[in-house]
Amino acid sequence: MVARRCRLAGFGLLLVLFAAPGWLNADDIVLNLKEADLQALISMVSEETGTNFVVDPRVRGRVTVVSGAPVSRDELYRIFLSVLRIHGFSAIPGEGVVKLVPDALAKQAEVPTVTEPGVRRGDEYVTRVIAVDHVDAAQLVPILRPLVPQSGHLVASAESNVLIVSDSAANVDRIAELVSRIDLDGREEMELIPLRHASAAEVVRVLTGLQGGEERARTRVHMVADERTNSILLGGDPKRRVALRATISHLDTRIDGGNTQVIYLRYASAEEMAEVLRGLLEGMDLPEAGEGRAGARGVSIHSHESTNALVLNGPPDVVRDLRAVIQQLDVRRAQVLVEAVIAEVSSEKAAELGVQWGIGDPRSGVGVVNFGRTGSGIVELAGGIDAFLRGAVATPPSLGDGAFIGGVGRSGSTTIAALVRALSGDSSSNILSTPSLMTMDNEEAEIVVGQNVPFIAGRSIEQSGQAFDTIQREDVGVMLRIKPQINEGNAIRLEIEQEVSQIAPGASTAADLITNKRSLRTIVMVEDGQMVVLGGLIDDQLVQTRDKVPGLGDIPALGRLFRYDTARMEKRNLMVFLHPVIVRDAAVQDQLTSSKYSFIRAQQVAARGRDVLMMPDDTSPVLPPWDALLDLPPPFEAAEAVYTLEEPGSLNVRPPPARP
């Protein structure tokens, strides 16, 4: 007997290789390991089997193997794989090398894919695609997942109906064998039973209730109602189908005298639905009452406004057809949120400079250079002063805007008066309005935000001499009127009427208030969520006016004393944009509403943070938080709970104290 001993890394690894003539082969090995270093075992297996290993730094530990009988070198490698598997490591074969990694990373590495069992050895990590022919692969995943360890991977591909398994080769082969036993052809014969009088959906509902839920799956009959053809599809145990066919034939009988049904609507209006159904009946080819059934005149449709329900009475097949129409019309209609953006930036500059003269003697004649274009001429001013001094009026005359410099002098009996007026104006505005409005599909909606301003529409004088004004009120502000129509897909047809008006600064020549008005009426096609420009105005005006005395006003330098110059420049940039959003379900509606709600609440919180003059801070109103607003009220049992307000808008509920 030849024995070889190796002490591995000084950790007590004892390897004895016995080669005895007769009953032991020269390549057989007796392997005994106790608390040996795993790295040393990897080195020994590499030397004995000629396998190249790439070891992950995390592959460490101590192992114990007790072998009472000699093993071959092929068996040594299988024992080595089992040792790795027990300690949470996997061997991934590759091109000329085997990678040793932790189990958690094995399924993410380049694992070889096998198609047949027995290609790889027991504990090697492999991936296999198992085809499923008759059963839904997704239904097998919950059944087989307990057989796959946490480090393995099991998933079903619904498109190709296959299972993908990554685990040891032995476990993958076991799962493939189980799948072959489960994947059996379980197809059943199907039969179609058309109905003449009864409703297929109602018959299926009755028969499903008769079967019960505890019946075995193999004897259970599957029933599906096809409302389009008013038929029932049966599949399952043939014996059970025979009994159900007899039951269906008894249920599918004519009901003499018609029937009455009450249908509660969820989304549509009962009154409008009744009008549609009555119009539909006029075009239906219904037999007369003499043929054993109620005729067209025997079908009645009424709407109950309080419960939003329809009451139908007539032959069962006619009522069934009407129910099918109601089911297709009573659907949730989409809504449209339209946000309009009106942006306007304007500026205005004005400048005036002029000199006016008055010279002469009232007894011999007077000469005047008067420029009364702006309502502040020297003649009007002199007349107003004279009336005030004589007591004809109670208030002195108004000079108007700007700077006035004037004086009166005498040269002998001649009076000379001069008036110089200078004015420079500069105004700008930056207006942004964003009205938003939500409405249902094909429903017109309108929003008006502004003031109701009185305008003088007429004036009458009675015989007593007293004057009366007729007042007409009009809305001044922002008005948005829309009617959306959602087409197939996400395109929206919008009928839009928009108006923005505001009170302009009054002019001396105006008899009443002046309003600036921007209105727009159009029909556009917009995609869901896109921004579109509706229209706009870019206006740039420059108006220059020169009033002068002929001849004298043209004299260089000196002519400035006989002229009145006015210059006005106006610039206006106005654009109107539109942003529609289709709201098809409650989730999108909640998202849009919560964002707007949170925005306005943030503005209120910021206003509270700026303090309130001479009042407590909590007097400023603040909306409750969005989450707190959606909470349900406390149950009746907590009616005696204590409510406290810890922060603005949040309500804290403490349970009532325990009673003795």
Side-chain angles (χ1 to χ4, degrees), residues 132-167:
V132 183
D133 298 325
H134 307 293
V135 185
D136 188 3
Q139 296 180 355
L140 298 179
V141 172
I143 301 174
L144 301 176
R145 190 176 296 279
L147 304 179
V148 180
Q150 187 175 2
S151 59
H153 183 66
L154 174 63
V155 69
S157 176
E159 292 80 5
S160 55
N161 200 43
V162 297
L163 291 173
I164 302 174
V165 187
S166 295
D167 200 7

Side-chain angles (χ1 to χ4, degrees), residues 85 118 120-126 128 167-177:
R85 186 74 172 176
R120 294 289 179 178
R121 286 173 282 189
D123 287 313
E124 287 184 332
Y125 206 92
V126 296
R128 183 172 173 183
D167 200 7
S168 64
N171 198 32
V172 171
D173 292 342
R174 181 176 67 133
I175 292 176
E177 183 180 358

Side-chain angles (χ1 to χ4, degrees), residues 343-349 426-432 502 505 516 518 537-541 569-575:
E344 179 179 359
V345 179
S346 62
S347 63
E348 180 178 349
K349 294 183 179 181
D426 190 355
S427 63
S428 62
S429 62
N430 185 359
I431 303 173
L432 178 64
Q502 58 185 0
N516 297 328
R518 287 92 171 163
L537 172 67
I538 300 177
D539 189 14
D540 195 348
Q541 298 182 9
M569 183 179 65
E570 296 181 2
K571 290 186 177 182
R572 181 180 297 108
N573 298 322
L574 173 65
M575 286 293 169

Side-chain angles (χ1 to χ4, degrees), residues 264-277:
Y264 296 95
L265 303 182
R266 299 182 59 188
Y267 306 106
S269 170
E271 185 176 355
E272 296 179 359
M273 184 72 72
E275 292 296 329
V276 174
L277 297 180

